[in-house]
Amino acid sequence: QLQLVESGGGLVQPGGSLRLSCAASGSTLDSYAIGWFRQAPGKEREGLSCMNRSGGSTMYADSVKGRFTISRDSAKNTVYLIMNSLKPEDTAVYYCGADPFIFRGRCLYDYEYTYWGQGTSVTVSS
């Protein structure tokens, strides 16, 4: 069974950077499409970035394009979200998800994912 564990969240000042990790166990992430999502209090879960099984195709939400980067380290069986130029509105709980059968163009929709981590909290504040 695939298990996902997020880490790397914390408090960061506006304009700062943070790297989130999603470590997988039980199966190789190379067999899954992977996505990063976030949810702030009172708001719906938002898809931020995703990567297909081969790693050759990525997608980004407009809200994070140019600031966030998704990356996979197959040797470590870990996917990362590198966040730069952080804004207060980036404050949320961040989740990683995985699914082996997400169709092209649908990987930013949370309902497409069957495997989830517990989330890691990010607070952007001065």
Side-chain angles (χ1 to χ4, degrees):
Q1 298 284 344
L2 179 68
Q3 296 176 332
L4 304 173
V5 179
E6 300 97 335
S7 63
L11 176 65
V12 63
Q13 293 187 107
S17 299
L18 207 60
R19 186 182 75 168
L20 306 183
S21 299
C22 177
S25 61
S27 187
T28 175
L29 278 178
D30 289 348
S31 300
Y32 297 85
I34 311 158
W36 280 100
F37 298 78
R38 69 185 180 191
Q39 188 166 27
K43 298 183 179 180
E44 66 183 73
R45 185 168 294 189
E46 177 187 15
L48 305 175
S49 183
C50 54
M51 175 181 290
N52 68 4
R53 293 173 61 176
S54 69
S57 180
T58 58
M59 295 181 64
Y60 294 92
D62 289 342
S63 60
V64 304
K65 187 182 292 290
R67 299 190 298 123
F68 291 10
T69 303
I70 190 170
S71 180
R72 182 183 64 190
D73 188 331
S74 295
K76 294 183 171 62
N77 207 26
T78 299
V79 65
Y80 303 96
L81 185 67
I82 299 93
M83 306 185 295
N84 297 314
S85 302
L86 284 163
K87 307 173 181 179
E89 51 262 44
D90 294 321
T91 297
V93 177
Y94 285 70
Y95 300 88
C96 62
D99 195 280
F101 304 116
I102 296 178
F103 292 109
R104 174 171 172 245
R106 300 190 62 84
C107 63
L108 288 179
Y109 297 101
D110 60 346
Y111 53 78
E112 295 284 350
Y113 291 81
T114 56
Y115 299 95
W116 293 94
Q118 293 297 306
T120 185
S121 180
V122 173
T123 301
V124 184
S125 177
S126 59

